Amino acid sequence: MAASHYEAPIRRPLVAGKKTYHDVTVDVARPVEGKANKQWWIVFSISLAAFLWGVGCIMYTITEGIGTWGLNKTVGWAWDITNFVWWVGIGHAGTLISAVLLLFRQKWRMAINRSAEAMTIFAVLQAGLFPLIHMGRPWLAFWVLPIPNQFGSLWVNFNSPLLWDVFAISTYLSVSLVFWWTGLLPDFAMLRDRAVKPFQKKIYALLSFGWSGRAKDWQRFEEVSLVLAGLATPLVISVHTIVSFDFATSVIPGWHTTIFPPYFVAGAVFSGFAMVNTLLIIMRKVSNLEDYITIQHIELINIVIMITGTVVGVAYITELFVAWYSGVEYEQYAFLNRATGPYWWAYLLMMTCNVFSPQLMWFKKLRTSIMFSFFISIVVNIGMWFERFVIIVTSLHRDYLPSSWTMFSPTFVDIGTFIGTIGFFFVLFLLYARTFPIIAQAEVKTILKSSGQYYKEIRESGGSLAGAAVDVRTSGGSPMQVSEGVKENSSDKVNDLLDSIGVFDAATQTADDLKKISGIGPKMEDVLNSIGIYTFLQVSKMSKKEYDLLDSITGSFPGRAERDDWSGQAKKLIN
């Protein structure tokens, strides 16, 4: 069967498994509606411990002053600004991935854009912490804003790139927030419509801004998304360009160079894609989303990492050439010192992690390996951190005056604060994954027929896609009705279920009114009765295993019984 223009041929599926539209909704909502799995708790516990350690270090810094850091008279700007630029760089790729891929209508954006946008927001929050702490008196942070003079006689210096940092980053954060929130509206509405508890329904109704799913809603949604994507894309370029001016406008050898703006932007995209890969590989596991964040997604991100890693490598070589060609001995010494001076090991780490390791992605076997991709994404993040460290520390520790040459070593407070922000980042992201859908289910549904594995197989076998995405549980007929055929096919499961919760004996027992349990209506009561469930006592014995068996027998509203806590309700009714 020839594919229509909506069903373009695909190379590799972007949605794995035999998914219907209903399955997509259930799978995306499950991490929000269900309980967290063991993997989620492990990652969350580690992140929380790191976050609390960081909080302790920040409190210690505020109490004792930034003398607790490893800074000295020559290197007065090192660890904190390294972390700041590193986090800003990571924050860039999130909105860039989402916005650029939206503008270019790339289908593989659908499953990853939400995580990428959230990454931007959480990473920029971490970045903002470092200038705040570095002030020594964070309660006076409002002085970086152009506030009226009635607050004092000080007026901000508009000539300083540090001030433009504030404007650029806050604007970028604002646009990213609106872009992210706009994309979430259909998913909030989906959670609102599925919620069974009144409080949850009200919260999600508030968050969805009255989304009704009308054609007008979708038209406005798409228009606003495109406008915001068009705004966010140049902002990504401007923010890191301005961050690079912090260095390039100085007279320090190794910093005073025009290559910094494009070099910083390429590096930011490189490190951002690496962090997106790290997050997606973790989230597909802890949220059971392997069918939506597929090998194809990971491979495409790896290709971007390989290309941007090559660009960064060219920038490193160009830097060396410019220093040599300039004929300025201070500039030449600065780069010689980077490669052969006391911090040669940091330079070697930077080159190995950022230039050589991404080249391994030329091999398809490696770039389609989940474990290797995760390893390389961590390696690149480490390498990009060392890139900023090398730029900052090697230029400062040996300046124009050999008499002031010194070395920089971080203290436990420096290290603890940085690790704390990593923990804080993952704590925010994991909590977000339990509250908001991390995949745009409405957008994934738009590519289900054209890029889903199941539909690809139907298309290749010559079958028709008409009605192929329809779910019998949610369209047509009576979804709550358990046919005799189904019962017969599920007889083993019914027996297992009744063995666990007990068999109803009509001669000695009286059937209860199961409709008293919230979530059980007349049709569901009929279904339960047809299986052999008649009493509160039977329902009260249900646990995870029995809920799953019930779902597999009825095939109706998976997870509903567990979410409504039928067992808990039945116990209260018995008492």
Side-chain angles (χ1 to χ4, degrees), residues 346-395:
Y347 189 80
L348 183 64
L349 260 176
M350 177 190 84
M351 294 295 284
T352 305
C353 296
N354 295 346
V355 182
F356 303 126
S357 69
Q359 300 309 315
L360 295 172
M361 293 303 180
W362 284 100
F363 301 100
K364 188 175 179 65
K365 189 174 181 181
L366 295 179
R367 69 172 181 262
T368 53
S369 162
I370 295 293
M371 286 304 294
F372 188 76
S373 301
F374 186 69
F375 171 71
I376 286 293
S377 67
I378 299 288
V379 165
V380 169
N381 280 312
I382 293 171
M384 285 308 294
W385 187 90
F386 272 102
E387 179 200 281
R388 280 70 182 239
F389 178 84
V390 165
I391 291 173
I392 294 162
V393 176
T394 59
S395 285

Side-chain angles (χ1 to χ4, degrees), residues 16-292:
K18 189 177 178 181
K19 300 294 180 186
T20 64
Y21 292 132
H22 178 68
D23 290 330
V24 175
T25 302
V26 171
D27 291 346
V28 172
R30 185 182 293 120
V32 179
E33 296 173 340
K35 292 179 180 176
N37 60 19
K38 187 179 175 185
Q39 287 93 339
W40 187 93
W41 279 111
I42 291 172
V43 179
F44 183 76
S45 301
I46 296 170
S47 305
L48 186 63
F51 169 54
L52 293 176
W53 184 21
V55 169
C57 290
I58 291 173
M59 295 303 295
Y60 183 63
T61 302
I62 293 174
T63 307
E64 300 294 324
I66 58 174
T68 56
W69 295 358
L71 301 175
N72 50 56
K73 284 183 180 176
T74 306
V75 186
W77 208 35
W79 193 269
D80 52 332
I81 196 70
T82 300
N83 299 334
F84 167 75
V85 180
W86 187 72
W87 276 117
V88 169
I90 287 172
H92 272 73
T95 300
L96 182 72
I97 288 172
S98 188
V100 172
L101 296 184
L102 174 65
L103 294 175
F104 284 94
R105 303 290 186 188
Q106 292 296 303
K107 289 179 182 176
W108 64 284
R109 165 190 185 273
M110 305 299 182
I112 64 172
N113 63 321
R114 188 65 54 70
S115 298
E117 291 161 17
M119 181 190 78
T120 287
I121 292 157
F122 300 145
V124 172
L125 287 178
Q126 308 309 319
L129 281 175
F130 287 98
L132 201 63
I133 305 167
H134 194 196
M135 290 176 185
R137 289 179 290 176
W139 50 92
L140 297 178
F142 60 88
W143 280 115
V144 299
L145 301 172
I147 54 174
N149 272 12
Q150 58 261 38
F151 286 92
S153 58
L154 185 65
W155 184 248
V156 292
N157 179 10
F158 282 97
N159 293 321
S160 167
L162 290 172
L163 179 61
W164 289 100
D165 267 352
V166 175
F167 283 109
I169 293 173
S170 57
T171 306
Y172 179 65
L173 179 61
S174 306
V175 171
S176 297
L177 263 174
V178 176
F179 188 50
W180 176 61
W181 196 269
T182 304
L184 274 164
L185 291 178
D187 297 288
F188 283 143
M190 177 268 288
L191 290 173
R192 174 200 63 197
D193 296 339
R194 288 174 58 84
V196 288
K197 294 179 181 175
F199 179 71
Q200 284 182 337
K201 195 175 270 297
K202 284 181 182 174
I203 292 293
Y204 285 118
L206 194 67
L207 296 176
S208 64
F209 290 173
W211 178 276
S212 64
R214 295 173 301 166
K216 198 72 179 172
D217 287 355
W218 282 107
Q219 182 196 356
R220 289 170 177 162
F221 172 77
E222 295 196 3
E223 286 173 355
V224 170
S225 297
L226 280 174
V227 169
L228 289 172
L231 280 173
T233 304
L235 269 175
V236 171
I237 310 292
S238 72
V239 174
H240 228 61
T241 301
I242 290 172
V243 169
S244 76
F245 288 165
D246 295 344
F247 299 87
T249 54
S250 72
V251 294
I252 304 289
W255 291 3
H256 188 64
T257 171
T258 52
I259 196 179
F260 262 24
Y263 168 23
F264 269 44
V265 171
V269 174
F270 180 51
S271 63
F273 267 96
M275 185 58 93
V276 166
N277 222 11
T278 307
L279 281 176
L280 289 178
I281 292 171
I282 292 174
M283 295 317 298
R284 73 194 294 273
K285 192 71 182 173
V286 301
S287 297
N288 299 318
L289 294 170
E290 287 95 339
D291 288 337
Y292 300 94

